[in-house]
Amino acid sequence: NGGQVSIINRLDRETSGALAFARTESSQIHLIEQFAAHTSFRRYMCIVPGRIDAQTISTTFVRDRGDGVRGSCPDGIHGKRAVTHIRPLRIIGAYSELECQLETGRTNQIRIHLAELRHPICGDVKYRGPFGEPAVTDSSRAPRLALHAADLGFVHPKSGEHLKFSVPLPRDL
């Protein structure tokens, strides 16, 4: 592909962490297939207000939940399946640090799922609560979206080796 690299996974602008790139078109295709088949490993860390129990959230996402914003479809029939596994790691005052593992990888998936549980990620200005309910106030003073792509794993497209990359939390989180 002329020496260009191609991005494989995307992060929201304010999300820090691990990204995957491909140097050849065949590698790009192989890696994109892994992400599409949900065989890659993606673990995120985030900070949310309140306490939340370990759980698996499974909904179906639509592009417009009725207010021009992505979200879960109330009937659970329409849209694309989105599954996030959540595990609390520690309590930090009035906030919780969570580990979120993606089973699927929909746009803004973690942000939407946590906001719909009334625990929106600190610093998130877009997803602040469930559709039709008042927004959850963010008094965290987070300098940005408190979401970090900590671990990324996949099978190397040429060698078949299982690779895992970890990026420590940045100082601002």
Side-chain angles (χ1 to χ4, degrees):
N1 69 11
Q4 289 186 323
V5 294
S6 301
I7 191 164
I8 304 302
N9 66 319
R10 300 190 190 289
L11 297 177
D12 294 331
R13 179 171 302 176
E14 292 185 330
T15 301
S16 55
L19 287 171
F21 295 87
R23 293 190 306 177
T24 66
E25 187 176 347
S26 63
S27 293
Q28 177 186 14
I29 291 167
H30 187 272
L31 290 169
I32 287 172
E33 286 174 350
Q34 286 183 59
F35 279 79
H38 313 301
T39 58
S40 59
F41 176 77
R42 291 162 291 172
R43 187 176 70 93
Y44 290 74
M45 312 290 280
C46 66
I47 311 281
V48 300
R51 310 282 188 277
I52 186 168
D53 293 329
Q55 61 190 284
T56 296
I57 306 163
S58 181
T59 64
T60 56
F61 278 5
V62 291
R63 287 186 182 272
D64 183 347
R65 63 186 185 176
D67 59 356
V69 177
R70 287 182 189 276
S72 296
C73 181
D75 66 16
I77 298 169
H78 300 92
K80 294 183 177 182
R81 185 172 167 262
V83 181
T84 307
H85 305 281
I86 296 172
R87 185 171 67 99
L89 297 177
R90 64 184 173 139
I91 303 301
I92 308 165
Y95 301 91
S96 296
E97 179 184 30
L98 304 178
E99 171 187 273
C100 301
Q101 187 174 331
L102 293 180
E103 186 172 314
T104 58
R106 307 290 174 215
T107 301
N108 303 143
Q109 179 174 317
I110 296 169
R111 295 169 64 188
I112 292 167
H113 274 158
L114 290 171
E116 290 177 345
L117 290 177
R118 302 201 56 75
H119 295 280
I121 297 173
C122 295
D124 195 338
V125 297
K126 186 173 185 179
Y127 299 103
R128 298 298 321 156
F131 174 64
E133 294 185 22
V136 176
T137 303
D138 184 5
S139 55
S140 70
R141 296 183 308 199
R144 66 172 177 89
L145 182 67
L147 180 62
H148 176 72
D151 296 302
L152 179 61
F154 50 85
V155 175
H156 190 280
K158 298 283 185 220
S159 71
E161 179 183 2
H162 287 268
L163 302 175
K164 183 179 176 189
F165 301 93
S166 297
V167 179
L169 277 172
R171 295 179 90 123
D172 65 347
L173 294 185

